[in-house]
Amino acid sequence: MQIDYGREVTVNEIVIKARVASGDTHFTSCVAEFSDGTKVVLNLTNSAVNQYFDVGSIKTTYVKLTNFEVADSSKAVAITELQTLGVENLK
């Protein structure tokens, strides 16, 4: 899962909303990778509310979520929303 910004931005926070439904499992973690080479491990919980992750102040042209770990690989799992919060870098 990747968001391409088309320009350099500064990302300060990542927000993830997981799907929580009867019979589903959940992601326990994933890694956020940025174009500058930074990698941040995000530890996820089994919750239907938005989960906020402070990533500092990373200048990047994209953010990619990789290396998803699940609590139970035999059940369905999904993320319903991914947001990044920050500012556009003006030249």
Side-chain angles (χ1 to χ4, degrees):
M1 174 180 292
Q2 181 169 321
I3 298 174
D4 290 298
Y5 302 108
R7 64 198 176 286
E8 186 178 81
V9 299
T10 298
V11 174
N12 304 107
E13 197 166 30
I14 294 175
V15 184
I16 295 176
K17 185 169 186 172
R19 181 182 74 189
V20 177
S22 178
D24 283 359
T25 189
H26 68 283
F27 291 112
T28 57
S29 68
C30 67
V31 175
E33 297 180 3
F34 301 87
S35 65
D36 73 345
T38 301
K39 294 181 181 184
V40 178
V41 175
L42 308 177
N43 293 308
L44 302 162
T45 62
N46 188 18
S47 173
V49 300
N50 288 345
Q51 298 177 57
Y52 293 83
F53 302 94
D54 183 342
V55 296
S57 184
I58 300 171
K59 291 184 179 182
T60 187
T61 58
Y62 69 81
V63 61
K64 177 171 38 174
L65 299 184
T66 63
N67 299 335
F68 287 93
E69 298 289 332
V70 295
D72 181 348
S73 62
S74 69
K75 295 183 178 182
V77 61
I79 289 177
T80 60
E81 190 172 331
L82 170 63
Q83 299 176 30
T84 57
L85 306 175
V87 295
E88 184 172 357
N89 297 337
L90 300 175
K91 304 263 182 202

